[in-house]
Amino acid sequence: QVQLVESGGGLVQAGGSVGLSCAASGRTFSSYIMGWFRQPPRKEREFVAAITRRGLSTDYADSVKGRFTISRDNAKNTVYLQMNNLKPEDTAVYYCAARTVGDGTSFFEHARFGSYYGTWGQGTQVTVSS
């Protein structure tokens, strides 16, 4: 079973930037669809961003478009989330997730649903102060 470990969370002022990393185990990282989700305090988990196997296609929640960038380095088995111009409402626990099986489903139709992914990291806290 693949394992995911997030890093890079912390405290930042509004308008600042934070970069998150998610390191995955295994030899077949390049075959995984990868996503980022977050859970703000007292709110439900929500989709943030996702990226395809080769990193050629991405999908973002409307709330983060233009501010966040998802990327991956398959040689390092790592997916990244660069977060710029942070807002207090970005405060949340951020989770990375991996879909390790293929069944022909469409990335753009399914990647924003948590149920699409079978493996989750432990999460990392990002706190944005006003």
Side-chain angles (χ1 to χ4, degrees), residues 33-111:
I33 300 293
M34 299 297 298
W36 286 97
F37 291 75
R38 68 187 184 186
Q39 186 166 14
R42 300 172 299 281
K43 294 183 178 180
E44 299 296 317
R45 182 181 63 187
E46 64 185 31
F47 170 74
V48 176
I51 190 166
T52 53
R53 295 173 177 86
R54 296 178 62 192
L56 298 179
S57 295
T58 57
D59 194 19
Y60 295 93
D62 288 343
S63 59
V64 307
K65 285 181 180 177
R67 300 188 299 121
F68 291 10
T69 302
I70 187 171
S71 62
R72 68 192 297 162
D73 187 338
N74 288 345
K76 296 182 178 180
N77 277 26
T78 302
V79 64
Y80 306 94
L81 185 69
Q82 180 63 43
M83 305 186 293
N84 299 325
N85 192 24
L86 285 161
K87 305 175 181 179
E89 51 263 45
D90 294 319
T91 294
V93 177
Y94 283 73
Y95 300 91
C96 66
R99 180 177 174 86
T100 61
V101 297
D103 60 3
T105 55
S106 171
F107 171 77
F108 290 105
E109 291 180 0
H110 297 106

Coordinates of all heavy atoms in Angstrom, one line a residue, residues 33-111:
I33 N -2.9 9.3 -9.9 CA -3.6 10.6 -9.9 C -3.4 11.2 -8.5 O -3.7 10.5 -7.5 CB -5.1 10.5 -10.3 CG1 -5.2 9.9 -11.7 CG2 -5.7 11.9 -10.2 CD1 -4.7 10.8 -12.8
M34 N -3.0 12.4 -8.4 CA -2.7 13.0 -7.1 C -3.6 14.2 -6.9 O -3.9 15.0 -7.8 CB -1.3 13.5 -6.9 CG -0.3 12.3 -7.1 SD -0.5 11.1 -5.7 CE -0.1 12.1 -4.3
G35 N -4.1 14.4 -5.6 CA -4.9 15.5 -5.3 C -4.6 16.1 -3.9 O -4.0 15.5 -3.1
W36 N -5.1 17.4 -3.8 CA -5.0 18.1 -2.5 C -6.4 18.4 -2.0 O -7.2 18.9 -2.8 CB -4.1 19.3 -2.6 CG -2.7 19.1 -2.6 CD1 -1.9 19.1 -3.8 CD2 -1.8 18.9 -1.6 NE1 -0.6 18.9 -3.4 CE2 -0.5 18.8 -2.1 CE3 -1.9 18.8 -0.2 CZ2 0.7 18.5 -1.3 CZ3 -0.8 18.6 0.6 CH2 0.5 18.5 0.1
F37 N -6.7 18.2 -0.8 CA -8.0 18.6 -0.1 C -7.6 19.3 1.1 O -6.5 19.3 1.6 CB -8.8 17.3 0.2 CG -9.3 16.6 -1.1 CD1 -8.5 15.8 -1.9 CD2 -10.7 16.8 -1.4 CE1 -9.0 15.2 -3.0 CE2 -11.2 16.1 -2.5 CZ -10.4 15.4 -3.3
R38 N -8.6 20.0 1.7 CA -8.4 20.7 2.9 C -9.7 20.7 3.7 O -10.8 20.5 3.2 CB -8.0 22.1 2.7 CG -9.1 23.0 2.1 CD -8.5 24.4 1.7 NE -9.5 25.3 1.2 CZ -9.2 26.5 0.7 NH1 -8.0 27.0 0.7 NH2 -10.2 27.3 0.3
Q39 N -9.6 20.8 5.1 CA -10.7 20.8 6.0 C -10.5 22.0 6.9 O -9.7 21.9 7.9 CB -10.8 19.5 6.8 CG -12.1 19.5 7.6 CD -12.4 18.1 8.1 OE1 -11.6 17.2 8.1 NE2 -13.6 17.9 8.6
P40 N -11.2 23.1 6.6 CA -11.2 24.2 7.6 C -11.8 23.9 8.9 O -12.6 22.9 9.0 CB -12.0 25.3 6.8 CG -12.1 24.8 5.4 CD -12.1 23.3 5.5
P41 N -11.6 24.7 9.9 CA -12.2 24.4 11.2 C -13.7 24.5 11.1 O -14.3 25.4 10.5 CB -11.7 25.6 12.1 CG -10.4 26.0 11.5 CD -10.6 25.8 10.0
R42 N -14.3 23.5 11.7 CA -15.8 23.4 11.8 C -16.5 23.3 10.4 O -17.7 23.6 10.3 CB -16.4 24.6 12.6 CG -15.9 24.6 14.0 CD -16.3 25.9 14.7 NE -15.8 27.1 14.0 CZ -14.5 27.5 14.2 NH1 -13.7 26.9 15.0 NH2 -14.1 28.6 13.6
K43 N -15.7 22.9 9.4 CA -16.3 22.7 8.0 C -16.0 21.4 7.5 O -15.1 20.6 8.0 CB -15.8 23.8 7.1 CG -16.2 25.2 7.4 CD -15.7 26.2 6.4 CE -16.2 27.6 6.7 NZ -15.7 28.6 5.7
E44 N -16.6 21.0 6.4 CA -16.4 19.7 5.8 C -15.1 19.8 4.9 O -14.7 20.8 4.5 CB -17.6 19.4 4.9 CG -18.9 19.2 5.7 CD -18.8 18.0 6.6 OE1 -18.3 17.0 6.3 OE2 -19.3 18.2 7.8
R45 N -14.6 18.6 4.6 CA -13.5 18.5 3.7 C -13.9 19.0 2.3 O -15.0 18.7 1.8 CB -13.0 17.1 3.7 CG -11.8 16.8 2.8 CD -11.4 15.4 2.7 NE -12.4 14.6 2.1 CZ -12.4 13.2 2.1 NH1 -11.4 12.6 2.6 NH2 -13.4 12.6 1.5
E46 N -13.0 19.7 1.7 CA -13.2 20.3 0.4 C -12.1 20.1 -0.6 O -10.9 20.0 -0.2 CB -13.6 21.7 0.4 CG -12.5 22.6 0.9 CD -13.0 24.1 1.1 OE1 -14.1 24.3 1.4 OE2 -12.1 25.0 0.9
F47 N -12.4 20.0 -1.8 CA -11.4 19.8 -2.9 C -10.6 21.1 -3.1 O -11.1 22.2 -3.0 CB -12.1 19.4 -4.2 CG -11.2 19.5 -5.4 CD1 -10.3 18.5 -5.6 CD2 -11.3 20.5 -6.3 CE1 -9.5 18.5 -6.8 CE2 -10.5 20.5 -7.5 CZ -9.6 19.5 -7.7
V48 N -9.3 20.9 -3.3 CA -8.4 22.1 -3.6 C -7.8 22.0 -5.0 O -8.0 22.9 -5.8 CB -7.2 22.1 -2.6 CG1 -6.3 23.3 -2.9 CG2 -7.8 22.3 -1.2
A49 N -7.1 20.9 -5.3 CA -6.5 20.8 -6.6 C -6.2 19.3 -6.9 O -6.1 18.5 -6.0 CB -5.2 21.6 -6.7
A50 N -6.0 19.0 -8.2 CA -5.6 17.7 -8.6 C -4.7 17.7 -9.8 O -4.8 18.7 -10.6 CB -6.8 16.8 -8.9
I51 N -4.0 16.7 -10.1 CA -3.0 16.6 -11.2 C -3.0 15.2 -11.8 O -3.0 14.2 -11.1 CB -1.7 17.2 -10.8 CG1 -0.7 17.4 -12.0 CG2 -1.0 16.2 -9.7 CD1 0.5 18.2 -11.6
T52 N -2.9 15.1 -13.1 CA -2.8 13.9 -13.8 C -1.4 13.2 -13.7 O -0.5 13.8 -13.2 CB -3.2 14.0 -15.2 OG1 -2.4 15.0 -15.9 CG2 -4.7 14.4 -15.4
R53 N -1.3 12.0 -14.2 CA -0.1 11.2 -14.0 C 1.2 11.9 -14.5 O 2.2 11.9 -13.9 CB -0.3 9.8 -14.7 CG -1.4 9.0 -14.0 CD -1.6 7.7 -14.8 NE -2.6 6.9 -14.2 CZ -3.9 7.0 -14.3 NH1 -4.4 7.9 -15.1 NH2 -4.7 6.2 -13.7
R54 N 1.1 12.5 -15.7 CA 2.2 13.1 -16.3 C 2.3 14.6 -15.9 O 3.3 15.3 -16.3 CB 2.2 13.0 -17.8 CG 2.3 11.6 -18.3 CD 2.3 11.6 -19.8 NE 3.4 12.3 -20.5 CZ 3.4 12.6 -21.7 NH1 2.4 12.3 -22.6 NH2 4.4 13.3 -22.2
G55 N 1.3 15.1 -15.2 CA 1.3 16.5 -14.8 C 0.9 17.4 -15.9 O 1.1 18.7 -15.8
L56 N 0.3 16.9 -17.0 CA -0.1 17.8 -18.1 C -1.5 18.4 -17.9 O -1.7 19.4 -18.6 CB 0.0 16.9 -19.4 CG 1.3 16.4 -19.8 CD1 1.2 15.6 -21.0 CD2 2.4 17.5 -19.9
S57 N -2.3 17.9 -17.0 CA -3.6 18.4 -16.8 C -3.8 18.7 -15.3 O -3.3 17.9 -14.5 CB -4.7 17.5 -17.3 OG -4.7 17.4 -18.7
T58 N -4.4 19.8 -14.9 CA -4.7 20.1 -13.6 C -6.1 20.6 -13.4 O -6.8 21.0 -14.4 CB -3.8 21.2 -13.0 OG1 -3.9 22.4 -13.9 CG2 -2.3 20.7 -13.1
D59 N -6.6 20.5 -12.2 CA -8.0 21.0 -11.9 C -7.9 21.7 -10.5 O -7.2 21.2 -9.6 CB -9.0 19.8 -11.8 CG -10.4 20.2 -11.8 OD1 -10.7 21.4 -12.2 OD2 -11.3 19.4 -11.4
Y60 N -8.6 22.8 -10.4 CA -8.6 23.6 -9.2 C -10.0 24.0 -8.7 O -10.9 24.2 -9.6 CB -7.8 24.9 -9.4 CG -6.4 24.7 -9.7 CD1 -5.9 24.7 -11.0 CD2 -5.4 24.7 -8.7 CE1 -4.6 24.5 -11.3 CE2 -4.1 24.5 -8.9 CZ -3.7 24.4 -10.2 OH -2.3 24.3 -10.5
A61 N -10.2 24.1 -7.4 CA -11.4 24.7 -6.9 C -11.4 26.1 -7.3 O -10.4 26.8 -7.3 CB -11.5 24.5 -5.4
D62 N -12.6 26.7 -7.5 CA -12.8 28.1 -7.9 C -12.2 29.0 -6.8 O -11.6 30.1 -7.2 CB -14.2 28.4 -8.1 CG -14.8 27.8 -9.3 OD1 -14.0 27.4 -10.2 OD2 -16.1 27.8 -9.4
S63 N -12.2 28.6 -5.6 CA -11.7 29.5 -4.5 C -10.2 29.7 -4.5 O -9.7 30.6 -3.8 CB -12.2 28.9 -3.1 OG -11.7 27.6 -3.0
V64 N -9.5 28.8 -5.2 CA -8.0 28.9 -5.2 C -7.4 29.2 -6.5 O -6.2 29.4 -6.6 CB -7.4 27.6 -4.6 CG1 -8.0 27.3 -3.2 CG2 -7.5 26.4 -5.5
K65 N -8.2 29.2 -7.6 CA -7.7 29.5 -8.9 C -7.0 30.8 -9.0 O -7.5 31.8 -8.5 CB -8.8 29.4 -10.0 CG -9.4 28.1 -10.3 CD -10.5 28.1 -11.3 CE -11.0 26.7 -11.7 NZ -12.1 26.8 -12.6
G66 N -5.8 30.8 -9.6 CA -5.0 32.0 -9.7 C -4.1 32.2 -8.6 O -3.2 33.1 -8.6
R67 N -4.3 31.5 -7.4 CA -3.5 31.7 -6.3 C -2.7 30.4 -5.9 O -1.5 30.6 -5.4 CB -4.4 32.0 -5.0 CG -5.2 33.3 -5.2 CD -5.8 33.7 -3.9 NE -6.8 32.7 -3.5 CZ -6.7 32.1 -2.3 NH1 -5.7 32.4 -1.4 NH2 -7.6 31.2 -2.0
F68 N -3.2 29.3 -6.2 CA -2.5 28.0 -5.8 C -2.1 27.3 -7.1 O -2.7 27.4 -8.2 CB -3.5 27.0 -5.1 CG -3.9 27.5 -3.7 CD1 -3.6 28.7 -3.2 CD2 -4.5 26.6 -2.9 CE1 -3.9 29.1 -1.9 CE2 -4.9 26.9 -1.6 CZ -4.6 28.2 -1.1
T69 N -1.0 26.6 -7.0 CA -0.5 25.8 -8.1 C -0.1 24.4 -7.7 O 0.7 24.3 -6.7 CB 0.7 26.5 -8.8 OG1 0.4 27.8 -9.2 CG2 1.2 25.7 -10.0
I70 N -0.6 23.4 -8.3 CA -0.3 22.0 -8.0 C 0.7 21.6 -9.1 O 0.6 21.9 -10.3 CB -1.5 21.1 -8.0 CG1 -1.1 19.7 -7.5 CG2 -2.2 21.0 -9.4 CD1 -2.3 18.8 -7.3
S71 N 1.8 20.8 -8.7 CA 2.8 20.3 -9.6 C 3.3 19.0 -9.0 O 3.0 18.6 -7.9 CB 3.9 21.3 -9.8 OG 4.6 21.6 -8.6
R72 N 4.0 18.3 -9.9 CA 4.6 17.0 -9.4 C 6.0 16.8 -10.0 O 6.3 17.3 -11.1 CB 3.7 15.8 -9.7 CG 3.5 15.5 -11.2 CD 2.3 14.6 -11.4 NE 2.6 13.3 -10.7 CZ 1.6 12.4 -10.5 NH1 0.3 12.6 -10.8 NH2 1.9 11.2 -9.9
D73 N 6.8 16.0 -9.3 CA 8.1 15.6 -9.8 C 8.1 14.1 -9.7 O 8.3 13.6 -8.6 CB 9.2 16.2 -9.0 CG 10.6 16.0 -9.6 OD1 10.7 15.0 -10.4 OD2 11.5 16.7 -9.4
N74 N 7.8 13.4 -10.7 CA 7.7 11.9 -10.7 C 9.1 11.3 -10.3 O 9.1 10.2 -9.7 CB 7.2 11.4 -12.0 CG 5.7 11.7 -12.1 OD1 5.0 12.0 -11.2 ND2 5.2 11.5 -13.4
A75 N 10.2 11.9 -10.7 CA 11.5 11.4 -10.3 C 11.7 11.4 -8.8 O 12.5 10.6 -8.3 CB 12.6 12.1 -11.1
K76 N 11.0 12.3 -8.1 CA 11.2 12.4 -6.7 C 10.0 11.9 -5.9 O 9.9 12.0 -4.7 CB 11.4 13.9 -6.3 CG 12.7 14.5 -6.8 CD 12.8 15.9 -6.3 CE 14.1 16.5 -6.8 NZ 14.3 17.9 -6.4
N77 N 9.0 11.3 -6.6 CA 7.8 10.7 -6.0 C 7.1 11.8 -5.1 O 6.7 11.5 -4.0 CB 8.1 9.5 -5.2 CG 8.2 8.2 -6.0 OD1 8.5 8.3 -7.2 ND2 8.0 7.1 -5.4
T78 N 7.0 13.0 -5.6 CA 6.5 14.1 -4.8 C 5.5 14.9 -5.6 O 5.7 15.2 -6.8 CB 7.7 15.0 -4.3 OG1 8.6 14.2 -3.5 CG2 7.2 16.1 -3.4
V79 N 4.5 15.3 -4.9 CA 3.5 16.3 -5.4 C 3.6 17.6 -4.6 O 3.8 17.5 -3.3 CB 2.1 15.7 -5.5 CG1 1.5 15.4 -4.1 CG2 1.2 16.7 -6.3
Y80 N 3.4 18.7 -5.2 CA 3.5 20.0 -4.5 C 2.3 20.8 -4.6 O 1.5 20.7 -5.5 CB 4.7 20.8 -5.0 CG 6.0 20.1 -5.1 CD1 6.4 19.4 -6.2 CD2 6.8 20.1 -4.0 CE1 7.6 18.7 -6.3 CE2 8.1 19.4 -4.0 CZ 8.4 18.7 -5.2 OH 9.6 18.1 -5.2
L81 N 2.1 21.7 -3.6 CA 1.0 22.7 -3.7 C 1.6 24.0 -3.2 O 1.9 24.2 -2.1 CB -0.2 22.3 -2.8 CG -1.4 23.3 -2.9 CD1 -2.0 23.2 -4.2 CD2 -2.4 23.0 -1.7
Q82 N 1.8 24.9 -4.2 CA 2.3 26.3 -3.9 C 1.1 27.2 -3.7 O 0.3 27.3 -4.6 CB 3.2 26.8 -5.1 CG 3.7 28.2 -4.9 CD 4.6 28.3 -3.7 OE1 5.5 27.4 -3.5 NE2 4.5 29.3 -2.9
M83 N 1.0 27.8 -2.5 CA -0.1 28.6 -2.2 C 0.4 30.1 -2.0 O 1.2 30.4 -1.1 CB -0.7 28.1 -0.9 CG -1.1 26.6 -1.0 SD -2.0 26.1 0.5 CE -0.7 26.2 1.7
N84 N -0.1 31.0 -2.8 CA 0.2 32.4 -2.8 C -1.0 33.2 -2.5 O -2.1 32.8 -2.6 CB 0.8 32.8 -4.2 CG 2.0 32.0 -4.6 OD1 2.9 31.7 -3.8 ND2 2.2 31.8 -5.9
N85 N -0.7 34.5 -2.0 CA -1.7 35.4 -1.7 C -2.7 34.8 -0.7 O -4.0 34.8 -1.0 CB -2.4 35.9 -2.9 CG -3.3 37.1 -2.7 OD1 -3.2 37.8 -1.7 ND2 -4.3 37.3 -3.5
L86 N -2.3 34.2 0.3 CA -3.1 33.4 1.2 C -4.1 34.4 2.0 O -3.8 35.5 2.3 CB -2.3 32.7 2.2 CG -1.6 31.4 1.7 CD1 -0.4 31.0 2.5 CD2 -2.6 30.3 1.5
K87 N -5.3 33.8 2.2 CA -6.3 34.5 2.9 C -6.7 33.8 4.2 O -6.4 32.6 4.3 CB -7.6 34.5 2.0 CG -7.4 35.2 0.7 CD -8.6 35.1 -0.2 CE -8.4 35.7 -1.5 NZ -9.6 35.6 -2.4
P88 N -7.2 34.4 5.2 CA -7.6 33.7 6.4 C -8.5 32.5 6.2 O -8.4 31.5 6.9 CB -8.3 34.8 7.3 CG -7.7 36.1 6.8 CD -7.4 35.9 5.3
E89 N -9.4 32.6 5.2 CA -10.3 31.5 4.9 C -9.5 30.3 4.3 O -10.2 29.2 4.1 CB -11.4 31.9 4.0 CG -11.0 32.6 2.7 CD -11.0 34.2 2.9 OE1 -10.6 34.7 3.9 OE2 -11.5 34.8 2.0
D90 N -8.2 30.4 4.0 CA -7.5 29.3 3.6 C -7.0 28.4 4.8 O -6.4 27.4 4.6 CB -6.2 29.7 2.8 CG -6.6 30.4 1.5 OD1 -7.5 29.8 0.8 OD2 -6.0 31.4 1.1
T91 N -7.2 28.9 6.0 CA -6.8 28.2 7.2 C -7.5 26.8 7.2 O -8.7 26.7 7.1 CB -7.1 29.0 8.4 OG1 -6.3 30.1 8.5 CG2 -6.8 28.1 9.7
A92 N -6.7 25.7 7.3 CA -7.3 24.4 7.2 C -6.2 23.4 7.5 O -5.0 23.7 7.4 CB -7.9 24.1 5.9
V93 N -6.6 22.1 7.7 CA -5.7 21.0 7.6 C -5.7 20.6 6.1 O -6.7 20.3 5.6 CB -6.1 19.8 8.5 CG1 -5.1 18.7 8.3 CG2 -6.1 20.3 10.0
Y94 N -4.5 20.5 5.5 CA -4.4 20.1 4.1 C -3.9 18.7 4.0 O -3.0 18.3 4.6 CB -3.4 21.1 3.4 CG -4.0 22.4 3.1 CD1 -4.2 23.3 4.1 CD2 -4.3 22.8 1.8 CE1 -4.8 24.6 3.9 CE2 -4.9 24.0 1.5 CZ -5.1 24.9 2.6 OH -5.6 26.1 2.3
Y95 N -4.6 17.9 3.1 CA -4.3 16.5 2.9 C -4.0 16.3 1.5 O -4.6 16.8 0.6 CB -5.5 15.7 3.3 CG -6.0 15.8 4.7 CD1 -7.0 16.7 5.0 CD2 -5.6 14.9 5.7 CE1 -7.5 16.8 6.3 CE2 -6.0 15.0 7.0 CZ -7.0 15.9 7.3 OH -7.4 16.0 8.6
C96 N -3.0 15.4 1.2 CA -2.8 14.9 -0.1 C -3.4 13.6 -0.2 O -3.5 12.8 0.8 CB -1.3 14.9 -0.5 SG -0.2 13.8 0.4
A97 N -3.7 13.2 -1.4 CA -4.4 11.9 -1.7 C -3.9 11.4 -3.0 O -3.6 12.1 -3.9 CB -5.9 12.2 -1.7
A98 N -4.0 10.0 -3.1 CA -3.5 9.3 -4.3 C -4.6 8.3 -4.8 O -5.2 7.6 -4.0 CB -2.2 8.6 -4.0
R99 N -4.8 8.3 -6.1 CA -5.6 7.3 -6.7 C -4.6 6.4 -7.4 O -4.0 6.8 -8.4 CB -6.6 7.9 -7.7 CG -7.5 6.8 -8.4 CD -8.5 7.4 -9.3 NE -9.2 6.4 -10.1 CZ -10.3 5.7 -9.7 NH1 -10.8 6.0 -8.5 NH2 -10.9 4.8 -10.5
T100 N -4.5 5.1 -6.9 CA -3.5 4.2 -7.4 C -4.0 3.2 -8.4 O -3.3 2.4 -8.9 CB -2.9 3.5 -6.2 OG1 -3.9 2.7 -5.5 CG2 -2.2 4.5 -5.3
V101 N -5.3 3.2 -8.6 CA -5.9 2.2 -9.6 C -6.5 3.0 -10.7 O -7.0 4.1 -10.6 CB -7.0 1.4 -8.9 CG1 -6.4 0.5 -7.8 CG2 -8.1 2.2 -8.3
G102 N -6.5 2.3 -11.9 CA -7.1 2.8 -13.1 C -8.3 2.0 -13.5 O -8.3 0.8 -13.5
D103 N -9.3 2.8 -13.9 CA -10.6 2.1 -14.3 C -11.2 2.8 -15.5 O -12.3 2.6 -15.8 CB -11.6 2.0 -13.2 CG -12.0 3.3 -12.6 OD1 -11.5 4.4 -13.1 OD2 -12.7 3.3 -11.6
G104 N -10.5 3.8 -16.1 CA -11.0 4.5 -17.2 C -11.8 5.6 -17.0 O -12.4 6.2 -17.9
T105 N -12.0 6.0 -15.7 CA -12.9 7.1 -15.3 C -12.2 8.4 -15.7 O -11.0 8.5 -15.7 CB -13.2 7.1 -13.8 OG1 -12.0 7.1 -13.1 CG2 -14.1 5.9 -13.5
S106 N -13.0 9.5 -16.0 CA -12.5 10.7 -16.4 C -11.9 11.5 -15.2 O -12.5 11.7 -14.2 CB -13.6 11.5 -17.1 OG -13.2 12.9 -17.4
F107 N -10.7 12.1 -15.4 CA -10.1 12.9 -14.4 C -10.9 14.1 -14.1 O -11.2 14.4 -12.9 CB -8.7 13.3 -14.9 CG -8.0 14.4 -14.1 CD1 -7.4 14.0 -12.9 CD2 -7.9 15.7 -14.5 CE1 -6.7 15.0 -12.2 CE2 -7.3 16.7 -13.8 CZ -6.7 16.3 -12.6
F108 N -11.4 14.8 -15.1 CA -12.1 16.1 -14.9 C -13.5 15.8 -14.3 O -14.1 16.8 -13.7 CB -12.2 16.9 -16.2 CG -10.8 17.5 -16.6 CD1 -10.1 16.9 -17.6 CD2 -10.3 18.6 -15.9 CE1 -8.9 17.5 -18.0 CE2 -9.1 19.1 -16.3 CZ -8.4 18.6 -17.3
E109 N -14.0 14.7 -14.5 CA -15.3 14.3 -13.9 C -15.3 13.9 -12.5 O -16.3 14.0 -11.8 CB -16.0 13.3 -14.8 CG -16.4 13.7 -16.2 CD -17.1 12.7 -17.0 OE1 -17.3 11.6 -16.5 OE2 -17.5 12.9 -18.1
H110 N -14.1 13.3 -12.1 CA -14.1 12.6 -10.8 C -13.0 13.1 -9.8 O -13.2 12.9 -8.6 CB -13.9 11.1 -11.0 CG -15.1 10.5 -11.7 ND1 -14.9 10.1 -13.0 CD2 -16.3 10.2 -11.3 CE1 -16.1 9.6 -13.4 NE2 -16.9 9.6 -12.4
A111 N -12.0 13.8 -10.3 CA -10.8 14.0 -9.4 C -11.1 15.0 -8.3 O -10.3 15.1 -7.3 CB -9.7 14.6 -10.2

